[in-house]
Amino acid sequence: MSLALEGIRVLDMSSIIAAPVAATTLGDFGAEVIKIEDPAEGDFMRRNAPEPGGRSLQWVQDARNKTSITLNLRKAEAREIVHQMLPHFDVLVTNFRPPTLRRWGFDPDSIRKRYPRLVALYVTGYGLTGPYADRGAFDRIASAFSGLTYVSGEPDRPPMRSGYAVIDYMGAYVGAFGVVTALYERDQHSGTGQIIDLGLYEPGFRASEDALIDYSVSGKIRERTGNTNPHVVPAADYDTADGKRLSIHAGTRPLLARLGTLIGRPGLGDEAEFADQKTRVKNQERLYSIIGAWVAARPLEQAMRELVGADIPASPLMSIADIAEDPHFRERGTVMPVQDEQYGSVLMSAPIPRMSETPASVRWLGPELGSGNKAVYGDMLGMSEAHIANLKKADII
């Protein structure tokens, strides 16, 4: 079975999650991805490896389907090698800050002028334009700037960042979408290459529901509401009799009617204090108390069985251990077992989304540092073994 992006070649000149995982996503769907790494210790995602430059578990997963080459971009000779490589590529992925891009000659204007058919994805903290463009950012900073952190947590406690690098991975998928859209325009509509300018904070901001338009009309600022949603009631998490947590969403009239019947209070959604969305929001503490009492009287397994039987959306709050053992994750293939020569059998997140005719695949895991040097420098660029040896001796590769 063919892969959707076979024949597309990607140069991954990036580090630290969003941009490199965008390249990984393209590789999952068949693109040939060449990853540039520092010769000394390699990419940042190798940092927890048993030895410097080794294969950490994050590297094993998030650098899958890539070829590793070493190149010391701090040296002018190395940057010139990048320019020798780029005519062989369809896509460039980078996340250096704009001042570094300008200093090294990889800024959008220079790239666009030299390689008009190249699709270049720039994932920077604040985007390539605007007063903050030269600032750096990571997932935590982007989460703070996007407004996501501000609304996360309990109302009477300081804001809390998400426990995972949500914005980094959201950014990866937005970036990959931008690349395939640009490639489609170039190859199917007789277009050219183009610059894709993605600020890391932007996917997080795009997830802010109607907060901005509501503020622009009413002046109302979205605040922290803990595990509830200010516009959707009832939808919350509850403690079970066996000390576990359960999430229930019954925020529509039909769902609330079914939930009322299940908990022994038929017509709950028709009671005056819960009869419409506004009254449910106003009286949510009372409604949550009623539902919480029902949940608190049951162990998790029983509560889930009854909720699923009544066709009410519900889920335990899953730890990673729960996920590793869950039959749905396994049978659907969201979690996949892979054999690694260093770590043995490991579980990892499978490529998404699922496609019926051209599904993604994990063909190999995160490579050894510089294992692709000969293929790229020798076979692609035509360098002799002696030339490659001299570049290595000079700390260029």
Side-chain angles (χ1 to χ4, degrees):
M1 187 175 290
S2 64
L3 294 164
L5 297 180
E6 281 183 4
I8 298 298
R9 186 177 276 165
V10 178
L11 184 62
D12 178 4
M13 193 171 69
S14 65
S15 183
I16 311 184
I17 304 185
V21 172
T24 300
T25 302
L26 299 171
D28 287 346
F29 286 91
E32 179 186 355
V33 182
I34 309 299
K35 166 75 174 179
I36 294 176
E37 299 191 71
D38 183 81
E41 295 188 355
D43 186 80
F44 177 83
M45 285 194 284
R46 293 182 183 269
R47 68 194 184 284
N48 291 325
E51 69 286 331
R55 299 168 70 250
S56 69
L57 289 169
Q58 185 176 17
W59 176 259
V60 166
Q61 173 180 269
D62 285 344
R64 64 194 183 197
N65 297 326
K66 293 185 179 183
T67 296
S68 168
I69 63 171
T70 55
L71 197 56
N72 185 353
L73 293 173
R74 291 178 292 276
K75 291 181 175 287
E77 300 93 328
R79 300 195 290 273
E80 182 53 40
I81 291 174
V82 173
H83 287 297
Q84 295 174 35
M85 294 170 63
L86 283 175
H88 298 271
F89 286 80
D90 300 280
V91 178
L92 170 67
V93 176
T94 188
N95 62 352
F96 291 114
R97 290 168 59 179
T100 302
L101 293 169
R102 292 190 293 269
R103 189 168 66 251
W104 286 359
F106 299 131
D107 57 282
D109 289 342
S110 299
I111 290 295
R112 192 83 174 95
K113 186 180 299 183
R114 292 185 67 166
Y115 314 104
R117 284 188 56 78
L118 184 71
V119 171
L121 169 62
Y122 290 85
V123 183
T124 57
Y126 294 87
L128 296 171
T129 61
Y132 307 157
D134 287 356
R135 297 181 184 180
F138 296 93
D139 178 276
R140 175 179 294 275
I141 306 306
S143 181
F145 187 69
S146 72
L148 180 60
T149 303
Y150 182 86
V151 299
S152 300
E154 296 296 332
D156 59 345
R157 300 292 299 276
M160 292 288 291
R161 172 186 174 268
S162 170
Y164 289 130
V166 173
I167 286 188
D168 270 332
Y169 286 89
M170 289 172 65
Y173 283 100
V174 173
F177 170 76
V179 168
V180 296
T181 302
L183 289 171
Y184 183 82
E185 161 64 19
R186 186 194 73 176
D187 297 341
Q188 298 300 317
H189 293 290
S190 301
T192 65
Q194 57 183 296
I195 301 299
I196 303 168
D197 175 5
L198 178 62
L200 185 59
Y201 73 93
E202 290 172 321
F205 169 66
R206 185 62 184 88
S208 62
E209 301 174 8
D210 63 345
L212 179 61
I213 192 169
D214 188 8
Y215 172 74
S216 72
V217 172
S218 69
K220 183 179 179 181
I221 297 174
R222 178 82 169 259
E223 299 288 350
R224 291 180 296 287
T225 56
N227 283 315
T228 63
N229 185 304
H231 304 306
V232 182
V233 177
D237 301 341
Y238 308 88
D239 291 317
T240 62
D242 51 352
K244 298 181 180 178
R245 291 281 281 178
L246 173 65
S247 186
I248 301 174
H249 191 311
T252 67
R253 283 193 65 83
L255 286 174
L256 184 55
R258 293 204 291 271
L259 181 60
T261 300
L262 174 65
I263 68 176
R265 194 154 173 166
L268 178 65
D270 296 322
E271 296 177 15
E273 58 184 333
F274 310 130
D276 56 39
Q277 193 262 355
K278 288 185 178 179
T279 58
R280 288 194 293 274
V281 170
K282 180 181 178 182
N283 300 304
Q284 60 183 281
E285 288 189 15
R286 168 70 176 146
L287 182 54
Y288 285 133
S289 176
I290 293 168
I291 300 168
W294 180 86
V295 174
R298 288 157 174 78
L300 176 65
E301 186 175 343
Q302 178 186 346
M304 276 299 302
R305 185 170 60 251
E306 294 182 32
L307 287 160
V308 170
D311 197 20
I312 297 165
S315 173
L317 272 61
M318 305 280 279
S319 73
I320 201 65
D322 298 326
I323 288 170
E325 300 301 325
D326 186 81
H328 186 84
F329 275 88
R330 289 292 193 107
E331 291 178 26
R332 181 169 164 77
T334 312
V335 165
M336 62 185 300
V338 183
Q339 194 69 28
D340 181 72
E341 68 275 9
Q342 179 179 353
Y343 293 103
S345 180
V346 297
L347 297 177
M348 67 175 57
S349 301
I352 56 172
R354 297 164 66 94
M355 298 178 68
S356 64
E357 306 305 314
T358 54
S361 70
V362 176
R363 300 176 299 285
W364 63 87
L365 301 180
E368 296 287 347
L369 181 61
S371 55
N373 282 358
K374 184 178 184 302
V376 174
Y377 297 136
D379 300 340
M380 182 189 295
L381 298 186
M383 295 180 182
S384 67
E385 290 187 9
H387 188 185
I388 294 172
N390 286 335
L391 290 172
K392 185 173 180 61
K393 186 175 181 181
D395 193 30
I396 294 170
I397 66 172

